[in-house]
Amino acid sequence: MDAVLDELYATPPPAFVSRREELAAEARTAGRVEDARRIHAARRPTLAAWAANLLLRSRPDESEQFLQLGRALREAYRTLDAGGIKELSEQRRRIVSGLSRQAAQLAREAGHRLSDMAQQDVESTLRAVLADQDAADRWATGRLENALTPPSAFASGTAATAGPPHKPPRPAPPPPSRTQAKDELAERRRQKQQQLDQARREAKAAQQRLRDRRAEQADADTSLRRAREGYDQARQQVSAAEQQLRQAREALQRADQEQREAEKRRHTAADALARAEQAAHEAAQEVKRLTSRGR
């Protein structure tokens, strides 16, 4: 059932309803009445929600890192880690912008261009995923129906000294020892540095893949140009060969006509020769006859 719903929410919104009815009918035909009811209850997502779902399914590694960033950012706010909030907030703005562009690209490749408003809704959803655990859990299902709205304080980049909105301050924990605090801070910085290094490696790999794709595109363009040139040359050769073939056929027709006329003249000459030979023979016979009588 999860696979069926995953497929349904990966379907572009314009085709959602028809695909939903097909899947529900298949479930009813198979006797799975409750599954058919669940499928039929699914609601068509907005274009922005579908693009966010598509991003989650098409970019699983980046999506998991994004969810991890959200957990780290929420923890930094919870513990009032000013340095962590500043560093992670810079990552947040950069990554939200990059992922929203990826979502728009995926939607465009699937045949649906996002409007400016839909693009803003995707960014709003991604900010909500970072700011709110419930929003993160909903996005992680890949079945959003509507865009998500982040909490106002978190979305506006509240200062590090501000706690989560509308929540009373937590009781202060017992102060850790100086050594423990340093170790914890060093560990957090180490983890953040690892995340930063990983993001840089992925960005470098993405740039390399982009260069490779561009090189492949250039090679393909060159191959296409050469193929077109070869086609034009072959077409010209075919045209010349066709012209030669027409000329050869015309010459053959003329030669055939001349042969028939020559054969006709030969028959005429042969008939004339036969008649002349007959006349000569008859004349010789007449001479011979007259000579015999004169004696």
Side-chain angles (χ1 to χ4, degrees):
M1 191 59 205
D2 286 338
V4 171
L5 290 175
D6 287 345
E7 177 196 345
L8 183 58
Y9 278 93
T11 303
F16 183 91
V17 173
S18 60
R19 183 56 180 159
R20 180 188 64 189
E21 298 308 312
E22 291 176 2
L23 294 172
E26 291 175 2
R28 283 193 297 270
T29 302
R32 295 183 287 110
V33 178
E34 181 60 23
D35 287 349
R37 185 194 64 77
R38 288 183 60 191
I39 295 171
H40 191 71
R43 291 293 168 261
R44 182 177 66 179
T46 64
L47 193 60
W50 167 74
N53 293 334
L54 188 62
L55 174 67
L56 177 77
R57 299 184 188 284
S58 301
R59 300 288 188 272
D61 293 339
E62 292 92 331
S63 298
E64 178 57 31
Q65 293 174 11
F66 188 66
L67 291 170
Q68 291 176 4
L69 173 62
R71 288 190 287 269
L73 189 55
R74 290 192 296 274
E75 178 64 17
Y77 267 85
R78 188 185 68 80
T79 59
L80 302 180
D81 180 359
I85 291 175
K86 181 180 179 181
E87 181 177 349
L88 293 172
S89 295
E90 292 176 356
Q91 293 186 38
R92 177 192 66 182
R93 288 188 291 272
R94 184 176 66 256
I95 295 175
V96 165
S97 177
L99 287 180
S100 66
R101 287 195 298 270
Q102 288 190 39
Q105 177 64 25
L106 291 168
R108 189 159 50 247
E109 291 173 354
H112 299 277
R113 188 179 186 88
L114 297 185
S115 65
D116 292 341
M117 182 64 69
Q119 183 82 40
Q120 293 174 8
D121 286 343
V122 172
E123 293 184 3
S124 173
T125 297
L126 294 175
R127 290 197 301 271
V129 169
L130 290 179
D132 183 70
Q133 182 63 52
D134 179 63
D137 292 341
R138 291 174 61 189
W139 182 58
T141 66
R143 302 174 192 170
L144 291 180
E145 298 175 359
N146 296 287
L148 302 177
T149 302
S152 58
F154 203 96
S156 61
T158 304
T161 56
H166 309 302
K167 290 186 179 180
R170 295 173 178 266
S177 66
R178 180 172 298 180
T179 301
Q180 180 182 357
K182 288 183 177 179
D183 290 344
E184 291 177 354
L185 179 59
E187 177 62 19
R188 286 198 297 271
R189 287 177 176 172
R190 185 186 65 81
Q191 293 178 356
K192 294 168 187 174
Q193 186 61 42
Q194 287 180 343
Q195 294 175 353
L196 180 59
D197 292 343
Q198 177 67 20
R200 286 172 175 169
R201 286 193 295 270
E202 292 177 355
K204 184 177 180 180
Q207 288 296 326
Q208 183 60 47
R209 289 194 296 271
L210 177 60
R211 287 192 292 270
D212 293 343
R213 300 296 86 77
R214 285 175 175 171
E216 292 174 359
Q217 180 66 45
D219 291 342
D221 291 341
T222 300
S223 298
L224 177 59
R225 184 175 63 255
R226 290 175 178 173
R228 286 175 174 171
E229 292 173 353
Y231 174 79
D232 291 339
Q233 292 176 358
R235 185 171 59 182
Q236 292 173 2
Q237 292 173 354
V238 168
S239 178
E242 290 176 345
Q243 178 65 25
Q244 292 175 356
L245 179 60
R246 285 194 297 271
Q247 293 174 353
R249 285 175 175 170
E250 292 173 356
L252 179 62
Q253 290 176 353
R254 289 194 299 271
D256 183 64
Q257 180 65 29
E258 291 173 356
Q259 179 180 339
R260 286 196 297 270
E261 291 176 354
E263 288 178 351
K264 184 177 180 180
R265 289 195 299 271
R266 178 178 177 277
H267 290 316
T268 301
D271 291 342
L273 176 60
R275 288 194 297 271
E277 288 178 346
Q278 180 64 30
H281 177 72
E282 291 176 353
Q285 290 294 327
E286 181 64 19
V287 169
K288 182 178 180 180
R289 185 181 65 77
L290 292 174
T291 302
S292 298
R293 289 179 59 183
R295 291 177 181 176

